[in-house]
Each structure stands twice: as C-alpha cells, then as structure tokens.
Amino acid sequence: MNRLESGGLIDRGKPLNFVFDGKKLAGYEGDTLASALVANGVRLVGRSFKYHRPRGILTAGSEEPNALVTLRTGARSEPNTRATSVQLFEGLVAESQNRWPTLGFDLMSLNNLLSPMFTAGFYYKTFMWPASFWEKVYEPLIRRAAGLGKASTQPDPDIYDKAHAFCDVLVVGSGPAGLSAALAASQAKARVILVEDDWLLGGRLLCEDQDIDGAPAVDWVRRIEGILTAMPNVSMLRRATVFGAYDGGTFGAVERIADHLAEPKPGVPRQRLWKICAKRTILATGAIERPLPFGGNDLPGIMMAAAVRAYATRFAALPGNEIVIYTTTDSGWAAARDLTGCGANITAIIDARASAPKGAARFAASAGIRVFENAVVVDASGGRRLRSLKLRSADGKIFELTADVLAISGGWNPVMGIGCNLGSRPVWSDAIHAFVLANPPAGMTLAGSAAGRFSLAEALDDGHRAGAAAAADLGFSPPPTKIPPCSEDATGSMPLWHVEGAKQKVFVDFQHDVTDADIGLAAQEGFRSVEHLKRYTTLGMATDQGRLGQVNGQALLARHLGKTLAETGTILSRPPFLPVAIGAFAGHHREMNFRPERRTASHDWAAENGAVFVDSGPWKRAQWFAIPSDQDWLDSVTREATAVRASVGVCDVSTLGKIDIHGPDAGIFLDRLYINMFSTLAVGKARYGVMLREDGFVLDDGTTTRLADDHYFMTTTTANAVKIMQHVDYCRQVLWPELNVQAVSVTEQWAQFAVAGPNSRLLLQKVFPDLDLSNDAFPYMSAIAVTWMGVPARIFRLSFSGELAFEVAVPARYGDALVRILMREGRDLGVVAYGTEALGVLRIEKGHPAGNELSGQTTATDLGFGRMMSQKKDYVGRVLAVRPALTDPMRPSLVGLRPAARSERLRGGAHILPLSSENRADNDLGYVTSVAFSPMMGSWIGLGLVSGGQGRIGERLRAYDPVRNGDVEIEICSPVFVDPEGVRVRG
Amino acid sequence: MAEIIIPRGAFELHLRDLPPVSGANTLKVDERLESAMATVMSRGDNAALAARIHDAFGIVLPSGPQRVSNGVEAFIGVGPGVWLAVFEKAGPQRASKLAASLAGLASVADQTSAYAVLRITGEAAREVLSRGAFIDFDPSVFGPGSAAVTTISHIGVSIWRIDDAPTFEVALFRSYADSFWHWLTTTCTALGVGLVRHGGSARI
Amino acid sequence: MRIPCPYCGERDGAEFTYCGDASPVRPAADAGEAAFVDYVYMRSNPAGEISEHWYHGQGCRNWLIVKRNTRTHVISAAMLAKGSAP
Amino acid sequence: MRYSIFALARGALTKHRHWHPAWRDAAPNGPYDVIIVGGGGHGLATAYYLAKIHGVKKVAVLERGWIGGGNAGRNTTIIRSNYGLDGNTQFYEWSMKLWEGLEQDLNYNAMVSQRGVLNLYHGDAQRDAYARRGNAMRLHGVDAELVDRDAVRSMAPFLNFDAARFPIQGGLLQRRGGTARHDAVVWGYARAASNLGVDIVQNCEVTGFVRSPEGRMIGVETTRGKIMGGKIGMAVAGHSSQVAEMAGLRLPIESHVLQAFVTEALKPLLPGVITFGAGHFYVSQSDKGGLVFGGDIDGYNSYAQRGNLPVVEDVCEGGMALMPMIGRVRMLRSWGGIMDMSMDGSPIIDRSPIDGLYLNAGWCYGGFKATPASGWCFAHLLARDEPHPVAASFRLDRFATGRVIDEKGQGAQPNLH
Ligand SMILES: Cc1cc2nc3c(=O)[nH]c(=O)nc-3n(C[C@H](O)[C@H](O)[C@H](O)COP(=O)(O)OP(=O)(O)OC[C@H]3O[C@@H](n4cnc5c(N)ncnc54)[C@H](O)[C@@H]3O)c2cc1C
Ligand SMILES: NC(=O)c1ccc[n+]([C@@H]2O[C@H](COP(=O)([O-])OP(=O)(O)OC[C@H]3O[C@@H](n4cnc5c(N)ncnc54)[C@H](O)[C@@H]3O)[C@@H](O)[C@H]2O)c1
Ligand SMILES: Cc1cc2nc3c(=O)[nH]c(=O)nc-3n(C[C@H](O)[C@H](O)[C@H](O)COP(=O)(O)O)c2cc1C
Ligand SMILES: [Zn+2]
C-alpha cells in the first residue's frame, strides 16, 4: 500500500471496495479511481492505441490520456472512462481496455515490434492489393487493433434530462481565480453561476500546500464556499463541465448527477444537460502541465509532477518509493517541496535549466536530495514499469539513476479551449512560453492560470478583478474588497521540446502513440501545416484532444521547419471541452419520447374500437379498425371502404390543418395564395383550392370555406399544416402587409369527422334533427355554422370519397362525444369507422391527388389542375409555373393504372416502362405514386405520373419493380375509377 | 335527442390517476376546464380596440407579452396586435359573443377547445418550468403578469404567471397533452417533486 | 444563438425558422419571368452583414428581419418584418 | 516513388529517410493553361484528370489555406450512388465506379470501404419513395435492394425495433456504398496530380480576376500576386458566391453550416452506414473506431465553420432514438463546414456566363462522394469546352428554364434540402 498515514482530503472512516480487472481492492471516500489505484500500488492500467504499449497513470485530471478504463458492466458499461475523473464509490467495477487477452500479456503488443513500419500514415501507403482485400482482411484487422473500449450493445438503462439557466456572470472553474471571481461578482449583486468539474471546489488549491490569509488554502476555499452558498444570487454546479460556448452567450454544461453512485436512484437522471445563458463569462479553467521529451517517456511510473503532487497532497497516496523529479519549471520544485512535506522519498531533482531557482539548493540539501542542473533525461528504461533513467549533463556526462517514479514538469499550457469555440485563435506568448487567448470573444474574460498568470497571488487578484469588472460592466457596483495575502510561488519555466540521442521512442501524443519521429516524418513528407500534421499523424485527435502533448508536437514541427511556434500556430479547440455522453444531449427525447405525439379527440374511442394507429407526421391516426372477423389488414380496409360506398362511414379528419382567415381583405389575400379565385366565393360555400410555391410547383391543396364576408376557413393537408401556416404568415406580414388580414391556426379547436356514404345524410339528420340537409337546402360544397346541444358546430358538404358526404366539426372537447353519438346513431345503418387506409382507397378510386402526388416535384398541370390556374390575377407561383420545363407536354402527368391481369398486385414506387423494352433509364416513362386494392373494381388500382399522361389511356405498359421482384403489365386508364360523372357526390 | 354532451379534459385521465402525495416538496396541478379562450387579432386600430376592451372589461390591453386580468377576464399578449382572451367560468358561446362585441376592431377565433391549460402552483414551479422552457423565470424577470410563448420539450406552450405563490398557467395545444404530461411527470420525479391535484379552482 | 425578438424579447434560436436573405423583393406581377427567376433563385450570399428573415414560429409567430454577420453570427438588430424595409 | 509494403519495409530499415513530400509545395509559376481555384477534393481531382486524361500540361491549383481544409476535410465520408432522379443517378454512379478503382489509379490507399449504406424507412409512403428511388437506380444499372425489417434486424440487431416512436419497417440498401478516408482522398489526388506536374499552391487566396479587354477571364489576382491562365475553373464549394462575386456573378447558392461529430474510439460496433429516415441522424464508424455522425444543417447562412447547440441536441436525440445503446458513448469533437447549398439541391458543373470562367459548385452536403466524378467531368468541360455526358444536366440555366433536379421536392429553399 502506498497510502499515507495522515493528511489528504479522503475520509479514512469510509473505506470503499472496488474491483479492477477482477482484482478486489479498497480505497476511501474522497478518492478517484486513479488515486485508489495509486494507493494500491497498481502501475499498469492500460495499453496504448497503436503499439499497445504498457501504460500507467500519467495525470490526476481530466487530461489523462492513458488510464482509460471501461467502467461498470453490462448495459451500464462505459468505455474510455478516465480513471482520474471517476469519483470512487462502493462496488465500483472497472476493466482495462485495448488489450488481449490480458493487460499484462497483450498479444497485440506485437504491433510494437512492427512499429518501424507503422509510422505516421503507413496505411495510406499500403493495403491496396488486391483491391477486394481491404474490406475483407485489412480493414477488419486495423479496426480491431484500433478502437479503445467496447461499447455496450444494450440500451442505456439510465435517464438524462435537460435544464436551462440564466445569469449575469458565468464563472467556469473554482480554483483561486474562479472563487474570487464568483465572490467579487456576487458581492456586487450580479446573478452568478459557478460551474466546477470536480466534486470539490478549490481547483489546484486542493492539491498544493499553499497558504491564504495565513491559513491553509483549503480553509479559505471552505470559507468562500460558505459565503457563496449563502448568497441567493449565486448558483453552483459541482461535478459539472462547461463543454462549449455557442452564439449569443449560450453555454452548454453537463452535470454528472449520479456518476459517483453505483447506479442512479430510480427516476433520477444520471446526467443533466444545462443550457446556460450568460451576459458575461469568466474562464478560470486553470492550466495543464506539459510532459517532457525523452526516450521511453511513456513507461508506467513516469507521471506529471503536478499529478504526483496531487496524489500525495489531496489523496494521501504516494505512487512510488524512489521518486526522481525532472523539471524545467519552478513548479517542479514546488512539487518536490510538497512531496517532501508528505514524507515522500525524493532521490534526485533534475532541472534542465542552467540553474535551479533561488533557494532550491538549500531545500535540496536539507532534504538530502541530489540535484542535477543543466541536465536532461535521455532515456528511461524498465519493462512494464520504470526502473531507471539515463541523464546527460551539459558537459555530456551520462548518469544513471534508479527510480520507480519520475515526476516530470515541462511548463504549463493555459486551458482556454472554451474561449476558442467561437473562432478566437490562441497566439504564442514568448513571455510564458505558451499559447494564450489574446482575443477572447466579446463578453468573455480569462483569469488566473487560464490567462497565463500562473501564481496563486495572480490567480486571486485576476479572478477578483475579472469578477468585479464583469459586474461593473453590467451596471452593478462592486464593493471594495481586499484580496487576501497568500504564499508565494515562483512560476519560472523553460520550454524543452526535444532531446538528442534518445535510444527509445519519444512520445508526444501518448494515447495515439505519436512520436517525435512521426512528427519529423510528416514534416519531411510535406505535411507542414499544423492542421495537416494533426490529420496525418493523429496528433491531438485522441480522447484527450491533445491537451497534454499537442503543443510539444507543434513545437517539433516548428523546429523541423525552422519556424517559430508563433508562425506555425496551433489548432482550434472545438466543443465538447471534455467528451460528453450522447445520452446527455438527447435528454429524455429517446425511444417513445423521441418526439411528442399528437392525439386527436377520438383517440381513446378509436383505441377502444380496435384501431391500429399510424404516424402521420407527429399525429397518431387510426389506420384501420380491426374487428375479430377480419383476417388481415386488407380485410379490414376493404370492409371499411365497401361499407362507405354501400352505406355510411365515419372518419376522423381532425388532423387536417385548419386556419381561420379574417379581415376585410381576406378574399383578395386568398386569391393571391391559391391558383383559383376565392374572393368570388359566396358565403356558406366551400371551394377546392391549389397553392403553388413561388417556383411554380404545387405546394398544397385543400378546401376553403367562406363563413362570413370577412371570414374564411382554410384547410390544408395534414403533412403541410405547419408549413402553410408559416406561408400564410409570410404572405400577410412580408409580401402584402398592406392587406388587412388576420390569420390563426384553429386546427386544435375543431374535431372534425367525415361522414361519408349514401346513408350519410340519414345519419347526420339523426344527430342534427333540426337541420335541413336536403340537396336543395344544402347542396354539394355548402357549409353552415350551427349550435349543437349548446356548443358551436360546423357542417360542410364535402367529399373526398366521391360519395354523398359531410364533414362535421365540433370543439375538440366534444369530439369524443360526437364520434360516440355518430356511431351509436348509425348502428342500424351499418355505420363503420374507417381509417386512413380506407380513406386512401376511396380517394384513389376517385383519382384525388394526395401526399404521394403532392411530392413537391409536380405542377398543377401534372395533376390535372391546369385549368384552375386563373388568368385574371396574380398569385404565388404564377409566373414561374409557365416556364418551358414546367409546361413540357411530355412531363409525366396523372393517370390511373390497373394490372392487365386483374389478380395481380400493384406497388407504389414501381417505374413505368413500355411493354417490351429494355430495363434502361432512357425507357423510363414515370412511376406509380399510389396504389390500393379497390373493392369497387375488384382489383388493385393505382395512380401514376406517366409521360404523355392522358394521351396514353388504354395503352398497355409495365410496372417495373425490381427491388420487390415484381414486373406487372398494366393498363393506363382515367384516374377516376368510380363514378366518373360525379353523380354520387351530388346525391 | 335530449342528452347532455360531456366535454373532455385533455389531462383528465392523468389527473384522475395522480397518486396521493404528501410531503413538503409538492406541486399542485389542475386542468382549467371551466374557462373559455379566444385569439383576438387587431384589425389595425389598436387604440380603438384597447378602448373598447377597457370599456367592456376594465382591462388595459397590454402591448407586450403580459397578462392583464380583472379577476374574471384576462387578456394575454401573445404577439403584436394579438391576444389570448381567457374568460373564467364561461360557456362555449363566449368567444362568439366577444367577436360580436369587438366587431370591426378585432377578428376573434374561438380557441376554447384548442388549448389545454394546466395551472401549476408551488415552490418548485419555477424550477420545474425552467427545466423545460428556455425562459428566465427569475422573479425579477418573470413576475406576476408576465407571459411568454415558447416551447417545452418540443411542444409549443404559452406560459403566464398569475401570483406570488407562485402560480403559473401553461397552455398547450390539446393534442400534445399526453406527451406534455410525460415531460412534466419525469421532470418532477427527477427533481424529487411530488405532483398533487390542485382541487377547487381559484378565481384570479 | 439568441435572437432578440422585438416582441418576445431575447430567445433561443431554436424557436425560430430561418427563411433566408430578406433583401430580394417579390417583383411586380408584370415584371416578367427573368425578374422572378432572379427573385426565387439568385442570392448574394454575403460573407458578412446580411438582413435576413426569421420566423418566430414557436413564439409570437412574427416574421422578423434580423441583421446578422454570417462570419461571426453576431446579431446587430432585429425588427418585425411587417412595416420594415430590409 | 511508388507506395507499397516493400517501400515501407525499406523505410523501416532506413529510418524512413527516403520519403519525399507527398506533393510539391509549389510556388506560383504562370501562365497556366488552366487555373483551378480551390484545393479541396474537387479542385485537386480536376487537376489530376486534366493532366492525366486530357494531357493538359500546365495546371495550377490555388488554395487559400492548406489543401483539404474546407469541406473535403470535414465531411462524414459517406460515398453512395443511391440517387433517384435522372441527371443525378448516372453521375453519382460514375463517381462510384471511379471510387472502385481509385486507389490503384492514384497509388494511394484512401480506404474506400464498401460496407453498405442503409437508409431506414418508417412508413408505407417512405417505403414507396425508396422503392421509386431503388427502381430508378436499377434502371441505371446501380445496385439497390429494398430490405424489410427482419433483414435490417439481422444486419443491425442493436437498432431500436421495439420501443420506437417511429418504428423501423425496413430500408433501402446500397451494398456498394460506404465510406472513404476523406483526408486521404485529398492527399492522394494531390500527390498523383503533383507527380503529373500540377502545381499545388497553398496559402494563395484568389482575391480577384484579371480580364482581357474583351472581357474574357485571363488570370487571377491572389495574395501571392497575379497569376495568368488560359481558363479558370472555380471549385471553392462553400465560398462559391464569394469568388463568383469577384467576377460580378450571382449564383443560385447559399452557404450554410452543417455540423458533424465524432465519438471516442470504440472497438468495431457498426457494420456500415446507417441513416435514420424519421430523425435527423446518420452514422458510420471510422477505422480509428470513432462513430462519425451528423444530421440536419443548422439552417442559417454561415461562413463560420461552426454551429449551435440546438442541432447538436437534435442530432443526438435522433441517435438515441435509433440506437439507445449509444447513450454512454461520448461525443469527442464537433465541427462545421460551409456548404454550397444550391436551390434545387443538385450541383452545377458548367461554363459561366463569362468567357474563360467555369463553375463547379452547389454540392450541398453531398459532394464528397462526387469528388472523383466531379473532377473527371469538370476536367472534361475545361479541356473540351463541352459538358461530359454524365454531368450534362448540371447546367446553370436550369433554374431559369425550370429543369431543376430536386430530389427532395423542397423547392428553392436551401434550408429545407
Ligand atoms: C459536416 C459535413 C459532412 C458532410 N458529409 C458528406 C458525406 O457524408 N458525403 C458526401 O458526399 N458529402 C458530404 N459533405 C459534403 C462534401 O464535403 C462537400 O460537398 C465537398 O467536399 C465539396 O467539394 P470540395 O472537396 O472541393 O470542397 P472544399 O474542400 O471545401 O474545397 C474548396 C476549397 O476552396 C478553397 N477556397 C475558397 N475560397 C478560395 C479563394 N478565394 N482562393 C483560393 N482557394 C479558395 C477553400 O479553402 C477550400 O479548401 C459534407 C460536408 C460537411 C460540411
Ligand atoms: N507555479 C506554477 O507555475 C503554477 C502553474 C499553474 C498553476 N499553478 C497554481 O494553480 C492555481 C491556478 O488557479 P486557477 O484558479 O487559475 O486554476 P485551477 O487549476 O486552480 O482551477 C481550475 C478549475 O477549473 C475547473 N475547470 C476547468 N475546466 C472546466 C470546465 N470546462 N468546466 C468546469 N470546470 C472546469 C477545474 O476542475 C479546476 O478546478 C494556483 O493555485 C497556482 O498557484 C501554479
Ligand atoms: C471522418 C472524420 C473523423 C474524425 N475523427 C476525429 C477523431 O477521431 N478525433 C478528433 O479529434 N477529431 C476527429 N475529426 C475532426 C477533426 O479533428 C476536425 O475537427 C475536423 O476535421 C474539422 O476541422 P476543424 O475542427 O479544424 O475546423 C474527424 C473528422 C472527420 C471528418
Ligand atoms: Zn417573438
């Protein structure tokens, strides 16, 4: 065990058991999985992406590239989870990944032997022969070797939800900079949201032995936390990551509500997606330490100095017994100081700089640590763990040291990814040897080490100033506050990108196994932009998105090109800042709740009566009503359609779009919307209308009724209801604002039922006994508003079926009552309920175009409405509808189709070809748009769009349907199969 | 055919099935079935329309997204020159009466059945609603009398705040009621908030 | 994206439907085919400031003219389309 | 130098010192016979075929940044020829044929992977629309299968069949469809073109045109000076309107942002490309193991190469509805591209109204698959001044005549394509 006796922010009173790769281990409350592994002396935790090299824990933060595990099991298993970010819980189970058969003995590490061939971009140069081998042999092998963890193939059992928040000042990160920013802004009375990735506030203060206000920094953190908690204008999200900045001050954040539990409590989400709207933002996201280049720098046991410091200080776990520190920064020395304070055995400190910082010699001497100044580590060796390292002093002397831990510190990269999301580019700063965000987006400030101001005093000061300034900017008055005094930490550093003479591979991107040689090769092969470098070598494309090693790689590129980093630049961070579960973005919009469902007023009644529902856009509509004697769906549909033609049927047509159009200019307005006239329509009359898009193709159709001089009631197709409402608003607000027209959707106000069939009048008369519905009093295309049992109702004499038919509308609250009454009163007439399928049969028998014909590719003339196009007025689409290609007589136009052998079946989507022709595109005459089995015709019938259309009536052609193996000889006929004279409808 | 036809609430079955919940953290909900609603669209002369409405109801027609009520009738701004009129305890013919009284000044469309209106009261109401709507419900921004047309869980809603309890009403097209209910109940569960039926109907 | 609807206040972009450049004006009825072809199909598609139509379909149902920069997405103004010139 | 396993093996022994730049980083050296503006896949392919098929000697590709930094470098890599309308079908099939021999032709492994493209349908009308499309493909000699629910289940058992808002009923399958490694396509064409003498000039932005007194295009102004050329071909995708504007032209094009996403790397999970017909979601798995997915365009004009959160949510909602197993899979990165959305959703390969200037534009979010055929046909047009037969419908005047090729029937509203 490497656990220290005392200290740290763990609760020794709460031991937790967990399993890693089948081994039972224990840690404490307050541990991460990584710190618990460190405490248990576990070194080897994973295998690298390409070479399957043994890897250990490298960091103590979310930038971890190596220690990726599959957390949990079964449906809850989560591949690629960073052990450094997992809060330990009782019963945690984790498995290492990307190894076979075991982590210790990984056969795929053979790749490592072949690595001289597996250079950057090797696959572009080979695997081309024979061509067919790619999918069958090479690619499966490459894929299996690549990839990391395995995803579960079972549905994610957990739930996710979404939330919104607004604030004046959003503070991201709760280190010293973030805390003082939040404090300053909130004391000015601004509404503040503070978001912290960790479960504890404090940032680096949790991992460093620092003083603020004369007491340990953690005490200060607790105090500020207390103050902020008590403020009503502050909200805090812990275990939450701001993952992206979007336009207009919108930020995305994900809160991990239950990831630190074995499983979420029932009903409680695992994670929650926050959309935060902020007027000002302060990024206090800290900085990440850079690794150093030397051979074998990926051996387990080599760790970032800040991480070793964090494990010792915050988690009371020492990763080794013989620690060497290799640094080019002052913070490497600070780590040494803290480690010594924890009782760690540091045997040597190697500083690549010409001289160690002030006071270093004294500290080292008192702690008995050997110091090498102006020396570099050249190679590290060991097998699956670090055993020794070779260093070279300035005068070329080689030393060998034994060590089980090498803590490295190569400088600091400010964390500013979120600031780049909107396109701001980082620029190189020679002052701090790092990229900084000089031009953050409007409304955003960086503070503390995120801004490249690395000392604690700077962080406190910077945060305070940023918080106060943001509040002041919004008109709040920040009260004067004093910034607490704190311990001093030096922040000197020297960049070191390359070491000469390494015998082993020098890693730059640890997860993707990108080495300094790969960078060199890429540059040699002409991949000289940092973007090309990234894509050719995959530098920075791993799950850590290059947080750790990308700048090192870019520096090597610059070196190869003889340029500076300022010239070569860096790449843009994109959201998400840290990888985010797809489930969190989806929230509860999944499975049945993917999209809301719309139900008509008769839904429950329909369900009680055997309805099988079909999706019609968001609506659920009864497709048919199955009764026990029906053998199959076709039986039901045929029964329903037959009954309508024979007696009477009732169908819910409420889903049609309904728009109330009012105003003195309503008639003129409709004239401009439709190809035909509506201003001339008499009150109490309905008319069928067709609308075009401005490009001359058909947009929609439907009947519109004039209910009063200045009031029309428009219906649209179900599919286009929303689009047409938008179109109507466009036309009246943008195109013709001078017209006095008001419009509003009343789709939901009215439950509307078609009552169709020769007995429809009889039935309706029973329900509306006081009305005269005779042909004379209420002829075809009439409409009337009445009161029915105290509620407003409307009756229309409309017919989609070609039968004597009506549509009855009542307020939707009474729709359920109406359909029940209609069905009850119609019982002795043999009334049936019919669904959308029978509706389709009836309309195809009558040749009425619907959705399949209104494809957006057809003209009014194609559909047989050419003569409706008024010559007397302007309307949307008029001009472009007469372009040559839209009026070409050889355009496919609407016809009826029947199978030549009446027993054969037609299918929608079949193409239409001459009888004895080759199956070639140049013989294509059109296609079948809609089909139905027609009880009236005793066969399948169809509608189609056929070149030459009406001119081909009587011709024999064939319907070509290879995707369903059906070639059917067909006869072209009139699209009106039933009652072409239109006698029934007027009966 | 002398019979009484029964109006159906869009949330009727859900409300009936509400489990009895006690405890501190509850939200009271109920569907408003006894009110009539209409869309009122100005024909251009907003001032004359406002005067007419003031004469008839003593209500100062709001020019923005607000709700102004006289205790029985309320007008809620939902767009420039467009209001939702809500009449407590009004019959199914109320909208046509309103149309007649505003003739020439406004076009009126009966929407009594179009909207299902849920009244939501309780400490947790703000938090529950802000889970779904991307609207700032902070009391300093969305106080009593505020109104907004927006979406919750892909469903169009109009929300207005009535009092300090706080009480909100959420109006949505009735066909979406089941999906909305699903959102409401899962959100309450996630927050540990129990739903109880309002009981009685406040006249506000 | 946040769009400042003149009626509803600032709202999330998801409540709006984008409907393209607001500058083209529907030609007069007798302007001829070429004018309509230009109106329907041709676009300036500027990289920079653009006046464009957005429909607040999930809000006040108004058509807006929004001035926005297509390079930065920064919105400088929004007004009701009715009665405004693009 | 030819690429092969032997060359690699040799490299292993010699520390890979023998590799040369994949393409020459040329400096402008006019006058050229043909100048191609835009170093994306289309521009580079055009240059390659100009040199290879038509023997045009002096060709330059001018790229304002680094080659492949536009849409060629940010697409979801799907290749397919499952188009339904005449004009499109034969063109995309020609492209597919070129993909099938591309790697041997270029001596570059672009990882063309014909793992199948499956478009799911969820209702009868959608099924019939797919049947219409599939039958049209078969009439053009293209492979297409309409598969039922059980067949889909056997191919992709992890899809949500049982508790779906829009249940899967079947799909249109093109087995020859699949993916290709997008960057490799750019580099492969660049290398092959460069080997044939094409000058690939990076960091060279075209800022204007040079015209002869008669008004003919005879050169371009660039950030690296004036470069003269006999003919100028534009292949700048999302920047088509910008470059056309320099020539005083307006195009039937709007530039929109489309986002794409990749997850952390996973062991093999998905067999091929799957598109979700009722949601806005499509997905495949890269050879590196990331699920590469996308959905709808954001829906507003943009040159910013990034999008907004609502579409991210929309796409992931679609993903979860289709495959609820990906809930715990993490999105690693998202990005956007600038797409040249034409008014009917189909491309333009045509002469411009100005002598000497040629257009290749309007690829919307589907031009990656077109790369080989687009280059082939554009080269043909540039070299011979007549359209290649398989691209003959992609005319600029089709908007005026009404001969639009509108696969989706959405009309002139680019946000609806
Ligand atoms: C997210 C996304 C997903 C996609 N998915 C697919 C898919 O799965 N399948 C598919 O088939 N298609 C897809 N596409 C579309 C496809 O990527 C494009 O249609 C295609 O890449 C465009 O052709 P290109 O490669 O030549 O364009 P680009 O790569 O964009 O090339 C144009 C080049 O022109 C340069 N340029 C611009 N202006 C100038 C100037 N003034 N001077 C010099 N150079 C200039 C640009 O820098 C750029 O490099 C997708 C697109 C995106 C954005
Ligand atoms: N001596 C040195 O060279 C040196 C260098 C770097 C840092 N430091 C020390 O580090 C501290 C810097 O303070 P600071 O406040 O700038 O940073 P910090 O590192 O203390 O805090 C940053 C916090 O931001 C959080 N965070 C980062 N990205 C986030 C996101 N997207 N969403 C939510 N939370 C996120 C992190 O979890 C962390 O808690 C000081 O104590 C300083 O002494 C010293
Ligand atoms: C097919 C494909 C796969 C990608 N896979 C990864 C990946 O595994 N890791 C990664 O970081 N980025 C990946 N990217 C995204 C790129 O890093 C980059 O974001 C994208 O090419 C757009 O460039 P930009 O972000 O520089 O604008 C991928 C992109 C594409 C097109
Ligand atoms: Zn609005």
Side-chain angles (χ1 to χ4, degrees), chain A residues 606-648:
Chain A
E608 288 162 26
N609 286 279
V612 171
F613 292 97
V614 64
D615 289 304
S616 184
W619 291 98
K620 288 284 180 192
R621 298 189 72 181
Q623 197 172 10
W624 62 79
F625 295 81
I627 63 171
S629 56
D630 296 338
Q631 300 289 314
D632 59 12
W633 69 272
L634 190 55
D635 251 16
S636 306
V637 174
T638 303
R639 174 180 53 73
E640 291 169 14
T642 308
V644 172
R645 297 248 183 258
S647 177
V648 61

Side-chain angles (χ1 to χ4, degrees), chain A residues 220-291:
Chain A
W220 178 81
V221 170
R222 299 232 167 93
R223 206 173 76 231
I224 304 301
E225 185 172 4
I227 297 173
L228 293 174
T229 308
M231 305 244 249
N233 53 331
V234 178
S235 324
M236 283 186 268
L237 292 176
R238 297 177 184 79
R239 295 190 183 90
T241 312
V242 172
F243 63 75
Y246 298 90
D247 286 317
T250 310
F251 293 81
V254 64
E255 182 186 4
R256 293 173 295 277
I257 300 164
D259 280 0
H260 60 299
L261 307 172
E263 55 186 73
K265 293 197 203 82
V268 174
R270 173 187 169 222
Q271 297 182 351
R272 172 173 297 138
L273 182 82
W274 285 89
K275 283 172 273 177
I276 302 172
C277 213
K279 297 193 178 111
R280 295 289 180 277
T281 308
I282 296 165
L283 285 191
T285 41
I288 291 175
E289 203 172 20
R290 282 200 289 257

Side-chain angles (χ1 to χ4, degrees), chain A residues 869-885:
Chain A
M869 297 165 76
S870 168
Q871 305 291 328
K872 288 186 270 188
K873 53 155 190 164
D874 186 27
Y875 56 88
V876 174
R878 178 185 60 93
V879 176
L880 296 192
V882 299
R883 285 176 292 166

Side-chain angles (χ1 to χ4, degrees), chain B residues 35-198:
Chain B
S35 43
M37 294 172 82
T39 307
V40 176
M41 299 166 281
S42 167
R43 288 201 170 178
D45 190 345
N46 289 359
L49 176 62
R52 175 93 50 98
I53 285 173
H54 193 262
D55 286 351
F57 304 105
I59 283 176
V60 179
L61 203 55
S63 59
Q66 280 97 37
R67 171 183 185 272
V68 180
S69 161
N70 62 13
V72 184
E73 288 105 2
F75 282 79
I76 299 151
V78 292
V82 186
W83 296 265
L84 211 52
V86 183
F87 303 95
E88 302 293 328
K89 296 238 164 33
Q93 303 290 358
R94 187 66 188 87
S96 48
K97 269 189 241 152
L98 178 69
S101 71
L102 301 181
L105 292 176
S107 303
V108 174
D110 188 358
Q111 303 278 25
T112 306
S113 269
Y115 291 103
V117 182
L118 274 186
R119 171 167 293 188
I120 300 181
T121 307
E123 284 286 328
R126 265 192 326 127
E127 194 172 6
V128 169
L129 290 175
S130 70
R131 287 283 189 263
F134 206 163
I135 294 275
D136 191 353
F137 289 107
D138 190 82
S140 65
V141 180
F142 204 87
S146 294
V149 186
T150 182
T151 63
I152 287 181
S153 191
H154 298 308
I155 299 167
V157 291
S158 301
I159 306 175
W160 50 88
R161 181 164 164 190
I162 290 180
D163 64 19
D164 279 323
T167 301
F168 296 88
E169 287 185 348
V170 181
L172 56 133
F173 283 144
R174 63 176 289 129
S175 68
Y176 287 106
D178 293 301
S179 293
F180 186 82
W181 189 257
H182 182 271
W183 169 81
L184 181 65
T185 48
T186 50
T187 300
C188 285
T189 309
L191 284 168
V193 171
L195 276 178
V196 295
R197 187 150 182 184
H198 213 292

Side-chain angles (χ1 to χ4, degrees), chain A residues 512 531 534-535 540-542 545 571-572 574, chain D residues 66 73-77 181-182 262-263 286 288 290 292 305 332-336:
Chain A
H512 271 175
E531 303 286 357
K534 161 181 156 178
R535 287 157 177 80
M541 294 180 85
Q545 289 286 286
I571 66 158
L572 278 188
R574 300 270 181 209
Chain D
W66 39 282
R74 47 189 71 239
N75 66 78
T76 42
T77 76
R181 170 91 175 87
H182 57 293
V262 65
T263 68
S286 79
K288 208 152 80 51
V292 176
Q305 282 192 341
L332 174 64
R333 192 172 171 96
S334 65
W335 61 94

